[in-house]
Short mmCIF file of all heavy atoms in Angstrom, two decimals:
data_model
loop_
_atom_site.label_atom_id
_atom_site.label_comp_id
_atom_site.label_asym_id
_atom_site.label_seq_id
_atom_site.Cartn_x
_atom_site.Cartn_y
_atom_site.Cartn_z
N TYR A 269 0.54 8.27 8.69
CA TYR A 269 1.12 6.93 8.56
C TYR A 269 2.64 6.96 8.42
O TYR A 269 3.32 6.06 8.88
CB TYR A 269 0.51 6.20 7.36
CG TYR A 269 -0.92 5.79 7.59
CD1 TYR A 269 -1.96 6.70 7.48
CD2 TYR A 269 -1.23 4.49 7.96
CE1 TYR A 269 -3.28 6.33 7.71
CE2 TYR A 269 -2.55 4.10 8.20
CZ TYR A 269 -3.56 5.04 8.07
OH TYR A 269 -4.86 4.66 8.32
N PHE A 270 3.18 7.96 7.75
CA PHE A 270 4.62 8.04 7.51
C PHE A 270 5.18 9.28 8.20
O PHE A 270 4.63 10.37 8.08
CB PHE A 270 4.91 8.11 6.00
CG PHE A 270 4.54 6.84 5.29
CD1 PHE A 270 3.33 6.73 4.63
CD2 PHE A 270 5.41 5.76 5.28
CE1 PHE A 270 2.97 5.57 3.98
CE2 PHE A 270 5.07 4.58 4.62
CZ PHE A 270 3.85 4.49 3.97
N THR A 271 6.28 9.08 8.92
CA THR A 271 6.91 10.18 9.64
C THR A 271 8.01 10.82 8.80
O THR A 271 8.54 10.19 7.87
CB THR A 271 7.53 9.68 10.95
OG1 THR A 271 8.60 8.75 10.64
CG2 THR A 271 6.50 8.98 11.84
N ALA A 272 8.40 12.04 9.14
CA ALA A 272 9.49 12.71 8.44
C ALA A 272 10.80 11.94 8.61
O ALA A 272 11.61 11.86 7.69
CB ALA A 272 9.64 14.14 8.94
N GLU A 273 10.98 11.35 9.78
CA GLU A 273 12.21 10.59 10.05
C GLU A 273 12.36 9.38 9.13
O GLU A 273 13.47 9.03 8.73
CB GLU A 273 12.20 10.12 11.51
CG GLU A 273 13.44 9.35 11.90
CD GLU A 273 13.40 8.84 13.33
OE1 GLU A 273 12.45 9.18 14.06
OE2 GLU A 273 14.32 8.11 13.70
N HIS A 274 11.26 8.74 8.79
CA HIS A 274 11.29 7.55 7.93
C HIS A 274 10.53 7.79 6.63
O HIS A 274 9.90 6.88 6.09
CB HIS A 274 10.69 6.35 8.67
CG HIS A 274 11.44 5.97 9.89
ND1 HIS A 274 12.67 5.37 9.85
CD2 HIS A 274 11.16 6.14 11.20
CE1 HIS A 274 13.11 5.17 11.08
NE2 HIS A 274 12.22 5.63 11.92
N ALA A 275 10.60 9.01 6.12
CA ALA A 275 9.85 9.36 4.92
C ALA A 275 10.37 8.59 3.70
O ALA A 275 11.55 8.64 3.39
CB ALA A 275 9.95 10.86 4.66
N PRO A 276 9.48 7.86 3.04
CA PRO A 276 9.91 7.15 1.83
C PRO A 276 9.88 8.10 0.62
O PRO A 276 9.25 9.16 0.66
CB PRO A 276 8.84 6.07 1.67
CG PRO A 276 7.61 6.64 2.31
CD PRO A 276 8.12 7.51 3.43
N ALA A 277 10.56 7.70 -0.44
CA ALA A 277 10.40 8.40 -1.71
C ALA A 277 8.97 8.13 -2.17
O ALA A 277 8.37 7.11 -1.82
CB ALA A 277 11.40 7.86 -2.73
N ARG A 278 8.40 9.06 -2.95
CA ARG A 278 7.00 8.89 -3.34
C ARG A 278 6.73 9.52 -4.70
O ARG A 278 7.32 10.53 -5.04
CB ARG A 278 6.09 9.52 -2.30
CG ARG A 278 4.61 9.33 -2.57
CD ARG A 278 3.77 9.96 -1.51
NE ARG A 278 2.92 10.99 -2.10
CZ ARG A 278 2.06 11.73 -1.42
NH1 ARG A 278 1.93 11.59 -0.11
NH2 ARG A 278 1.33 12.62 -2.02
N VAL A 279 5.86 8.88 -5.44
CA VAL A 279 5.34 9.45 -6.66
C VAL A 279 3.82 9.41 -6.57
O VAL A 279 3.25 8.45 -6.04
CB VAL A 279 5.84 8.70 -7.92
CG1 VAL A 279 5.38 7.27 -7.93
CG2 VAL A 279 5.41 9.40 -9.19
N THR A 280 3.17 10.47 -7.03
CA THR A 280 1.71 10.53 -7.04
C THR A 280 1.28 10.95 -8.43
O THR A 280 1.77 11.96 -8.95
CB THR A 280 1.18 11.54 -6.00
OG1 THR A 280 1.71 11.20 -4.72
CG2 THR A 280 -0.34 11.52 -5.95
N VAL A 281 0.37 10.17 -9.01
CA VAL A 281 -0.14 10.49 -10.35
C VAL A 281 -1.65 10.42 -10.37
O VAL A 281 -2.27 9.75 -9.53
CB VAL A 281 0.44 9.53 -11.41
CG1 VAL A 281 1.95 9.67 -11.53
CG2 VAL A 281 0.06 8.09 -11.12
N GLN A 282 -2.21 11.13 -11.31
CA GLN A 282 -3.65 11.01 -11.54
C GLN A 282 -3.88 9.84 -12.47
O GLN A 282 -3.16 9.66 -13.45
CB GLN A 282 -4.22 12.28 -12.17
CG GLN A 282 -5.70 12.16 -12.46
CD GLN A 282 -6.25 13.34 -13.23
OE1 GLN A 282 -5.52 14.22 -13.63
NE2 GLN A 282 -7.56 13.33 -13.43
N ALA A 283 -4.86 9.03 -12.15
CA ALA A 283 -5.19 7.87 -12.98
C ALA A 283 -6.69 7.63 -12.92
O ALA A 283 -7.32 7.83 -11.89
CB ALA A 283 -4.45 6.64 -12.46
N SER A 284 -7.22 7.19 -14.02
CA SER A 284 -8.62 6.80 -14.04
C SER A 284 -8.74 5.48 -13.29
O SER A 284 -8.10 4.49 -13.66
CB SER A 284 -9.09 6.64 -15.48
OG SER A 284 -10.44 6.27 -15.52
N MET A 285 -9.51 5.46 -12.22
CA MET A 285 -9.57 4.30 -11.34
C MET A 285 -10.69 3.34 -11.74
O MET A 285 -11.68 3.74 -12.36
CB MET A 285 -9.78 4.75 -9.89
CG MET A 285 -8.72 5.73 -9.39
SD MET A 285 -7.05 5.09 -9.38
CE MET A 285 -7.18 3.98 -8.01
N MET A 286 -10.54 2.10 -11.33
CA MET A 286 -11.56 1.09 -11.54
C MET A 286 -12.66 1.26 -10.49
O MET A 286 -12.41 1.73 -9.39
CB MET A 286 -10.97 -0.32 -11.40
CG MET A 286 -9.81 -0.59 -12.29
SD MET A 286 -10.35 -0.52 -13.98
CE MET A 286 -8.82 -0.54 -14.83
#
Side-chain angles (χ1 to χ4, degrees):
Y269 289 79
F270 293 97
T271 64
E273 181 182 355
H274 298 288
R278 183 179 119 180
V279 63
T280 305
V281 297
Q282 178 187 4
S284 180
M285 304 298 288
M286 304 296 169

